Amino acid sequence: MKETAQSLIGPFKEVVTMEGLPLEGPLKDQSVPIVKEGGILLENGIILEVGPFEDLKKKVNGSISHLPFPAIAVPGFIDCHTHLCFAGSRVSDYAKRVSSMSYLEIAKAGGGILDTVKKTRAASKEELIVSLNKRLEEVISQGITSLEIKSGYGLTLNDEIKQLEAIKEASLKSPLTIISTCLAAHICPPEFSSSKAYLDFLMKKVLPLVKEKNLAKRVDIFVENGAFEVEESIFYLNFAKTLGFEVVVHADQFHPGGSNVAKITKAISADHLEASSEKDLLELKEAGVIPVALPGASIGLGMAFTKGRKILDLGMPLVIASDWNPGSAPMGNLLAEAAIFGAFEKLTISETLAAITSRASHALSLKDCGILKTGYKADFTIFETSDYRDIFYYQGSLKPSATYIKGTQVFSKDKF
Ligand code: NIG
Ligand code: FE
C-alpha cells in the first residue's frame, strides 16, 4: 500500500480522531470523537480529510486501499520518554531487586546505571546503531510513530557524543519521528569526585558541543538521592536554557525535590512523579509543566504507580511514556504499560488514549501529530477490531495490524 498522489484508506469501523478534546483534566469516553464507517484521505503524507468512507470515495483523486478485515484507526502512539540507546542487559540487577536489594542500593554499590554505562562505553557507535535499530523495529510494530530517546549511558564527552550520534544516524534511516535528549546528567561517573565537578564539566565541554553539532534540542537531569541535588540541578538546567535547550526533568521517582527543579526551571515536562505530594503536583500545574507517568518503571521495580487519577482530577494534562531502559523498565511495551496503569489508576479509556496520543505530543513540543485531522501528519495505527476500547481491554495483547507514518505503511502484521 504505497501512497500515490492522493489515497484513501478504509472503511474503518471507527476512526478515533482525538480532535477537539481538552488538553487538561478528566475525559469522558462519551466525548471521544469517533467517525463511524470512516476513511482517511491523505496526500503527500498529510491528512486531507477524515470522514465517512462513502463520502470520501466520491472525492478522492487517486487510489483507494480497502481494508480486508474489520478495523479501527487511532492516532499513532507517541512515546515521549525512553532510554533506547544502550548496550547489554541488567538481568542481574533484576534478580537482585526481586530477592534482596533495592534499585538505589544496587546503584550505590556501583551497579545500576553505571553497569550499563560500562557496557555502553565498551560498545562502538556501529554496535549501538545495530541494537537501536532492532528496538526501533519493535517500537514501530507497537504502533508508535514518534518517540524520544535519551543519551545518559556514556558520561564522558566522547561517549555521550557517540550515543547521540548513534541516535541521530539511526533516526535518519528510520521513518519514525525521533526527538533526542541529552541526559549526560544521569548520574555522576566514578572519574569525578563530586556531582558539582561533573556538572561543571558538562556545562563547559559537553553541552556546548552537543549544541554545536546539533545532536539534541533538549537536556534532562536525574534529580534524586545518589544522582543530582536540587540546587545544582536548577543551576545546570538554567545554564542549558541559556544555550537554547528545552529542559525536562527525571523528578520525584523515589524522593521529592525534582518537581521543584522542574517548576523553577519551567521545564517542558516532569517525568516519574511516583513520590510527589499534592502540593508538588499543584506547583507543577501552576508552572505549566506537563506531568509524565512512567508505569513501566513502577512495574519493573515493583513499586507504586504515579498518581495518575489525582493528576487528572487536579486539572492537569496526564501523559504516559514507557521509560524503556535496561534497568528499571525493561518491558518496553507502551500499550501494555498504559493499559495496566489505567486499570490500577482508574483512568477512563479516553484518558489513557489521550495520554499516549493527543496529550503526549505536547510533551515533545510536536504540533502536527497525535490527532487525526486535516493538515496533520498521516500517522496512524490500525487494530483488527470493531471497538477501539479493545486496545486497552486486552491490555497489550491485541497488537496493531499496521502502522502508518506520513501515510506510508511501515509495518503490517499479516501483509495486506
Ligand atoms: O527513568 N531513573 C533514572 N533513569 C532511568 C533508569 C535508567 C537505568 O536504570 O538504567 C529511569 O527509570
Ligand atoms: Fe527515564
Side-chain angles (χ1 to χ4, degrees):
M1 279 211 241
K2 272 248 154 213
E3 54 158 336
T4 54
Q6 275 186 13
S7 59
L8 171 64
I9 306 176
F12 294 100
K13 291 287 173 199
E14 300 176 330
V15 180
V16 183
T17 65
M18 303 306 276
E19 188 178 358
L21 291 173
L23 287 175
E24 288 144 4
L27 294 172
K28 291 209 166 40
D29 290 346
Q30 299 87 296
S31 59
V32 169
I34 298 176
V35 181
K36 298 262 185 199
E37 301 301 330
I40 301 173
L41 179 63
L42 54 103
E43 186 171 37
N44 297 327
I46 303 295
I47 296 173
L48 282 183
E49 196 174 334
V50 177
F53 186 71
E54 289 305 318
D55 294 356
L56 295 178
K57 246 165 99 176
K58 292 176 202 142
K59 290 188 186 168
V60 59
N61 181 12
S63 64
I64 302 181
S65 301
H66 282 268
L67 291 163
F69 46 74
I72 63 96
V74 290
F77 303 135
I78 297 169
D79 191 348
C80 70
H81 180 139
T82 83
H83 306 248
L84 268 191
C85 183
F86 61 86
S89 150
R90 296 248 292 282
V91 65
S92 320
D93 278 15
Y94 181 75
K96 281 182 202 146
R97 282 205 309 270
V98 290
S99 59
S100 53
M101 289 167 89
S102 74
Y103 180 83
L104 287 181
E105 283 164 354
I106 294 169
K108 215 170 171 191
I113 294 170
L114 285 178
D115 183 53
T116 301
V117 168
K118 263 184 226 142
K119 292 164 181 161
T120 305
R121 284 181 182 177
S124 66
K125 182 164 81 181
E126 289 63 38
E127 286 166 335
L128 290 178
I129 292 173
V130 169
S131 59
L132 180 54
N133 280 338
K134 264 204 195 133
R135 291 178 202 120
L136 294 181
E137 288 294 311
E138 169 62 26
V139 161
I140 291 172
S141 76
Q142 291 179 14
I144 292 167
T145 50
S146 303
L147 91 158
E148 184 254 21
I149 310 177
K150 300 174 196 297
S151 66
Y153 294 123
L155 315 187
T156 65
L157 180 63
N158 288 345
D159 290 301
E160 282 295 309
I161 297 293
K162 175 180 77 180
Q163 252 198 301
L164 289 169
E165 283 181 350
I167 295 167
K168 187 165 190 174
E169 285 175 37
S171 306
L172 290 174
K173 295 210 174 112
S174 169
L176 286 154
T177 298
I178 295 178
I179 307 292
S180 54
T181 302
C182 177
L183 178 60
H186 202 179
I187 200 161
C188 179
E191 297 80 16
F192 286 82
S193 55
S194 70
S195 52
K196 188 189 171 301
Y198 179 56
L199 290 177
D200 280 347
F201 159 73
L202 295 184
M203 289 186 279
K204 277 203 192 86
K205 299 278 184 216
V206 178
L207 294 188
L209 193 59
V210 170
K211 187 79 205 166
E212 190 191 311
K213 288 177 165 269
N214 195 21
L215 289 172
K217 291 197 164 51
R218 299 154 39 108
V219 166
D220 193 351
I221 189 163
F222 183 22
V223 184
E224 187 51 69
N225 294 0
F228 298 96
E229 288 164 13
V230 170
E231 290 307 320
E232 63 191 9
S233 300
I234 293 171
F235 190 81
Y236 175 71
L237 292 184
N238 278 336
F239 176 80
K241 285 177 82 170
T242 65
L243 293 184
F245 289 103
E246 288 182 346
V247 300
V248 291
V249 183
H250 274 74
D252 304 352
Q253 184 178 9
F254 303 104
H255 301 93
S259 54
N260 194 26
V261 174
K263 179 190 98 175
I264 289 173
T265 59
K266 293 249 180 300
I268 302 279
S269 71
D271 305 23
H272 273 296
L273 308 179
E274 292 90 331
S276 306
S277 65
E278 181 166 332
K279 184 170 167 281
D280 294 326
L281 295 174
L282 282 170
E283 285 182 358
L284 290 178
K285 181 183 176 191
E286 184 80 24
V289 179
I290 297 172
V292 179
L294 304 171
S298 301
I299 296 167
L301 299 175
M303 294 183 70
F305 285 116
T306 303
K307 296 179 189 72
R309 179 73 264 150
K310 175 111 222 153
I311 288 172
L312 287 163
D313 290 343
L314 290 174
M316 300 176 78
L318 177 70
V319 170
I320 302 172
S322 75
D323 196 20
W324 189 353
N325 72 72
S328 60
M331 183 204 260
N333 187 332
L334 177 64
L335 189 53
E337 292 160 3
I340 293 166
F341 180 64
F344 276 87
E345 281 296 308
K346 307 289 177 242
L347 307 184
T348 63
I349 287 173
S350 43
E351 286 166 345
T352 310
L353 183 58
I356 57 174
T357 57
S358 50
R359 290 177 169 178
S361 62
H362 295 268
L364 291 180
S365 311
L366 295 173
K367 294 195 168 48
D368 54 357
C369 61
I371 299 177
L372 298 179
K373 76 173 209 186
T374 305
Y376 273 45
K377 283 189 294 190
D379 286 2
F380 54 96
T381 300
I382 295 179
F383 289 84
E384 187 174 350
T385 174
S386 303
D387 185 336
Y388 83 98
R389 299 174 305 174
D390 282 343
I391 300 173
F392 298 106
Y393 171 57
Y394 288 112
Q395 299 190 314
S397 67
L398 178 67
K399 308 273 186 221
S401 293
T403 309
Y404 288 77
I405 298 182
K406 293 188 202 128
T408 299
Q409 190 188 81
V410 292
F411 161 78
S412 96
K413 200 162 59 173
D414 302 313
K415 306 268 174 279
F416 66 89

